[in-house]
C-alpha cells in the first residue's frame, strides 16, 4: 500500500504543524513516517514504502503543487493547452532529478539506516498518464474533462509530454535505488479513466518505457536490477497486457477476482492484492471471511502472490482492525 499512514494517531503527532510536502522534504520526518507502520505492525508486514508523493515529479518539472487540507493536491496553474506558454517551458526545461529531488534520496538513505534490515524498502513514482492527468486537471477529478481534451484534441503534444515524464521517472527511480530502495512501484492511479484502446495508446507504452529503461539505467549506474511492480487501478481489462509489460509484479485492485486473475497471469508475474479497503469498516468476522476468499482465490498458500489491499487505506479506519486483517492473512495463508 503506497499510503501515507494517515490512519495512525502517531502520524499526526510526527507531522505536527508541517504541511504535507514539508514532511516529504524533511528526511527526518519522512523516514519517521515511513517506519510507523513497520513498528506498529512488527512481524506482520514484509516491506516499507518511502513516505513521499507521486506529484514530486511535476514539482521537479517546474509546476507548483499544493496539498490542500481535506481536498487533496491542487495545481494553481495547470497546463491549459499546448500554446499556453507553460507547456512550451516545461517541454524545454532540462530537469535534473538528482538535484531537484535529492530530499527523496536523503529520506531513503536515512530510512534504510533506521530500518536496520528489518524489512526491504520500496521506492515509487506515479505513472506518466496519471501525472499528465494531474498536470492538466489541476488536481483530482470526477470527469477528467481536461485530460480527455488533451489526449483527443492534442494527441501528439500529449505523447511528447508522456515521453518526457516517462524518461524522468526512469532517472528518478534509478536514483531511488542508488539511495537504497530495494524494490520500486509505479502507480497508475487514474488508469480506469481510459478505455482499453486509449490505455493501449496513452498509458501502456509509457509504463513499458519505464520497465525497459530502468534496468538499463541501473546497469549504467553500476546497480543491480530490482523487482518492479506496476499498479494500474481500474484497468482490469489490461491485466493480460500488464503481465507482459516487463514488470515482475502486477498489483490488483478489488475489481479483480483473484482466481480469474491467477488464471490470466499464468505465473508470468507475481500478483499483489487485492481486498477492498472498505472491508476494514466491517465486523471482524466479515474481515475473516473476506481474507479466506482472497487467500483461496490466490491459490490458498503463500506462493506466487503478495497479500495487500486493493488500494490505499481509507479515512477513519481503526488501526486495530487493520492489524486484525494482517493477522488473519498470516493465519489463513499459513505462517
Amino acid at each position: 500500500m503506497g499510503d501515507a499512514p494517515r490512519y495512525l494517531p502517531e502520524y499526526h503527532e510526527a507531522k505536527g504543524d508541517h504541511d504535507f510536502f514539508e514532511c516529504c522534504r524533511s528526511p527526518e520526518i519522512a523516514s519517521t513516517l515511513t517506519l510507523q507502520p513497520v513498528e506498529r505492525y512488527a512481524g506482520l508486514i514484509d516491506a516499507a514504502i518511502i513516505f513521499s508523493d507521486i506529484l514530486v515529479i511535476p514539482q521537479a518539472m517546474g509546476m507548483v503543487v499544493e496539498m490542500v487540507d481535506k481536498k487533496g493536491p491542487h495545481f494553481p496553474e495547470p497546463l491549459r493547452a499546448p500554446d499556453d506558454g507553460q507547456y512550451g517551458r516545461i517541454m524545454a526545461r532540462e530537469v535534473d532529478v538528482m538535484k531537484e529531488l535529492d530530499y527523496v534520496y536523503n529520506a531513503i538513505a536515512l530510512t534504510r539506516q533506521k530500518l536496520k534490515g528489518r524489512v526491504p524498502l520500496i521506492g515509487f513514482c506515479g505513472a506518466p498518464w496519471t501525472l499528465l492527468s494531474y498536470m492538466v486537471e489541476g488536481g483530482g477529478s470526477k470527469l477528467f474533462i481536461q485530460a480527455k481534451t488533451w489526449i483527443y484534441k492534442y494527441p501528439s503534444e500529449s505523447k511528447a509530454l508522456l515521453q518526457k515524464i516517462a524518461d524522468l521517472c526512469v532517472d528518478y527511480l534509478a536514483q531511488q535505488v542508488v539511495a537504497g530502495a530495494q524494490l520500486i512501484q509505479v502507480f497508475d492511479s487514474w488508469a480506469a479513466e481510459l478505455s482499453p484502446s486509449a490505455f493501449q495508446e496513452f498509458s501502456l507504452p509509457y509504463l513499458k518505457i519505464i520497465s525497459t529503461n530502468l534496468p538499463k539505467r541501473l546497469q549504467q549506474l553500476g546497480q543491480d536490477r530490482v523487482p518492479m511492480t506496476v499498479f494500474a487501478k481500474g484497468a482490469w481489462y489490461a491485466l493480460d497486457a500488464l503481465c507482459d509489460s516487463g514488470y515482475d509484479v502486477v498489483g490488483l485492485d478489488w475489481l479483480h477476482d483473484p482466481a480469474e486473475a491467477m488464471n490470466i497471469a499464468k505465473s508470468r508475474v507475481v500478483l499483489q492484492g487485492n481486498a477492498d479497503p472498505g472491508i476494514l469498516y466491517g465486523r471482524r468476522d466479515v474481515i475473516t471471511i473476506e481474507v479466506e476468499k482472497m487467500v483461496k482465490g490466490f491459490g490458498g498458500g503463500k506462493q506466487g502472490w503478495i497479500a495487500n489491499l486493493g488500494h490505499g487505506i481509507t479515512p477513519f479506519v481503526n488501526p486495530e482492525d487493520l492489524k486484525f486483517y494482517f493477522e488473519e492473512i498470516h493465519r489463513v495463508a499459513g505462517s
Side-chain angles (χ1 to χ4, degrees):
M1 297 163 299
D3 241 24
R6 295 183 186 87
Y7 55 93
L8 297 179
E10 55 265 39
Y11 167 84
H12 298 281
E13 286 167 32
K15 183 174 178 287
D17 294 332
H18 300 278
D19 83 16
F20 179 83
F21 284 115
E22 280 175 356
C23 294
C24 293
R25 291 190 191 105
S26 161
E28 184 54 53
I29 296 175
S31 61
T32 297
L33 296 174
T34 301
L35 288 172
Q36 286 178 344
V38 175
E39 283 164 356
R40 181 181 273 253
Y41 303 117
L44 291 173
I45 54 177
D46 300 319
I49 188 159
I50 193 66
F51 178 85
S52 185
D53 195 82
I54 63 172
L55 298 178
V56 298
I57 291 238
Q59 287 177 331
M61 296 173 82
M63 295 189 79
V64 175
V65 189
E66 302 159 347
M67 197 62 76
V68 180
D69 240 13
K70 298 184 177 54
K71 186 183 166 211
H74 172 65
F75 289 67
E77 289 183 53
L79 296 175
R80 293 293 177 206
D83 60 2
D84 69 356
Q86 188 178 197
Y87 173 84
R89 286 194 301 276
I90 279 176
M91 292 305 294
R93 180 178 169 135
E94 288 285 323
V95 182
D96 180 352
V97 292
M98 191 73 208
K99 179 165 125 301
E100 298 287 348
L101 298 173
D102 70 318
Y103 58 88
V104 179
Y105 318 132
N106 292 337
I108 287 171
L110 184 56
T111 303
R112 277 294 305 275
Q113 282 175 18
K114 291 182 179 181
L115 274 170
K116 297 188 171 67
R118 281 175 282 176
V119 292
L121 180 61
I122 303 169
F124 70 92
C125 72
W129 156 249
T130 290
L131 295 179
L132 177 143
S133 296
Y134 274 113
M135 290 163 75
V136 302
E137 292 288 346
S141 175
K142 283 193 167 66
L143 298 176
F144 289 83
I145 292 167
Q146 302 307 325
K148 300 293 174 78
T149 299
W150 271 79
I151 62 171
Y152 294 125
K153 191 181 270 189
Y154 316 120
S156 60
E157 292 90 345
S158 295
K159 287 174 182 175
L161 179 55
L162 289 164
Q163 175 74 51
K164 186 176 180 81
I165 296 168
D167 292 340
L168 290 173
C169 288
V170 169
D171 277 342
Y172 176 48
L173 292 171
Q175 292 302 333
Q176 290 187 54
V177 173
V178 170
Q182 292 148 291
L183 309 87
I184 66 90
Q185 182 154 344
V186 180
F187 288 95
D188 209 352
S189 311
W190 299 127
E193 300 308 319
L194 293 168
S195 69
S197 63
F199 184 83
Q200 291 282 345
E201 189 174 356
F202 295 103
S203 175
L204 189 60
Y206 304 96
L207 293 171
K208 286 180 171 174
I209 286 170
I210 297 171
S211 65
T212 302
N213 292 335
L214 178 58
K216 294 177 187 169
R217 187 83 188 94
L218 288 172
Q219 194 175 13
Q220 290 167 353
L221 293 166
Q223 299 286 322
D224 291 336
R225 187 188 184 285
V226 298
M228 301 182 292
T229 301
V230 62
F231 177 63
K233 185 174 183 289
W236 55 268
Y237 51 77
L239 179 56
D240 186 49
L242 288 166
C243 290
D244 281 335
S245 64
Y247 289 85
D248 306 284
V249 181
V250 175
L252 306 178
D253 59 36
W254 65 94
L255 302 180
H256 289 273
D257 175 84
E260 283 177 23
M262 291 291 270
N263 193 39
I264 290 167
K266 292 188 169 57
S267 302
R268 286 176 287 171
V269 293
V270 169
L271 295 177
Q272 174 173 287
N274 78 326
D276 179 352
I279 68 169
L280 299 175
Y281 297 124
R283 297 194 317 264
R284 293 204 169 177
D285 59 317
V286 176
I287 293 174
T288 295
I289 290 165
E290 292 301 321
V291 168
E292 287 169 349
K293 284 193 261 186
M294 176 175 75
V295 172
K296 186 179 177 209
F298 281 116
K302 298 203 292 186
Q303 296 300 310
W305 68 294
I306 299 167
N308 207 327
L309 290 169
H311 199 231
I313 295 160
T314 38
F316 313 118
V317 161
N318 180 339
E320 288 304 302
D321 291 332
L322 179 61
K323 183 182 184 187
F324 179 75
Y325 170 73
F326 293 145
E327 289 169 340
E328 285 298 87
I329 290 168
H330 283 275
R331 183 185 68 79
V332 175
S335 45

